[in-house]
Amino acid sequence: MNETWDPETPGVLRLPSRRLVRGRGLRNPLPTGGIPHFGVYLQGGEPPPVEWESRWVRWRDFWLPSDREAFVPTLRELLKRSEIERVEIACSGGFGRTGTAMSCLAVLDGVPVDKAVDYVRENYSRRAVEMPWQKRFITRFV
């Protein structure tokens, strides 16, 4: 199976490795462009079930992941699966937690930590990463 996103799909971030990851807000309708094969959902409480394989990272709105040790392997799994599968990262709005996780993913993909937020803001959403402590978390990631 080699079914990744169309790079023109709204909300899709192209990483330096050319892998594609969709970001979205869970409070919005499911976007067009297909369903993911794997999703990572960043919520303070358990998200509703989905038809595809997923992981839940406990992460309250405007804060940081509650279980940071589980966060890194989950992102690594998503990055690996993005080679051949449609993957997504989502929180309620699709900007703060999602942008923070995408910035960390960009670091895992080779973007220097001091450039990761700008990379995600330029290539995903200018609203990505909402809080100063989220930005600081990225600069200290891995």
Side-chain angles (χ1 to χ4, degrees):
M1 171 178 27
N2 190 355
E3 299 181 47
T4 61
W5 301 112
D6 176 340
E8 301 303 315
T9 301
V12 170
L13 171 69
R14 182 186 296 274
L15 293 165
S17 63
R18 316 250 336 130
R19 295 175 185 173
L20 303 172
V21 179
R22 181 173 74 185
R24 70 179 179 102
L26 293 171
R27 67 175 162 230
N28 302 321
L30 192 63
T32 60
I35 62 169
H37 298 108
F38 180 70
V40 172
Y41 303 105
L42 316 169
Q43 296 288 110
E46 190 168 357
V50 291
E51 301 170 27
W52 48 88
E53 191 177 349
S54 66
R55 303 280 182 276
W56 167 41
V57 174
R58 187 180 298 274
W59 190 335
R60 289 186 4 225
D61 202 6
F62 300 108
W63 291 98
L64 299 172
S66 298
D67 185 353
R68 295 178 192 185
E69 292 198 17
F71 176 62
V72 176
T74 300
L75 277 187
R76 288 186 189 282
E77 179 182 3
L78 182 128
L79 183 62
K80 175 71 176 150
R81 293 179 75 155
S82 70
E83 291 178 31
I84 59 170
E85 296 178 317
R86 288 187 304 267
V87 299
E88 73 174 3
I89 299 174
C91 64
S92 294
F95 301 109
R97 292 170 283 181
T98 297
T100 301
M102 285 188 149
S103 296
C104 293
L105 194 64
V107 170
L108 291 176
D109 200 55
V111 176
V113 293
D114 62 330
K115 306 270 189 250
V117 172
D118 289 338
Y119 183 87
V120 171
R121 286 179 176 166
E122 289 169 17
N123 295 284
Y124 168 65
S125 171
R126 61 182 176 78
R127 295 176 55 196
V129 188
E130 295 173 316
M131 308 308 292
W133 46 88
Q134 291 172 335
K135 191 171 185 179
R136 190 169 45 252
F137 176 77
I138 297 158
T139 63
R140 297 175 180 166
F141 183 72
V142 183

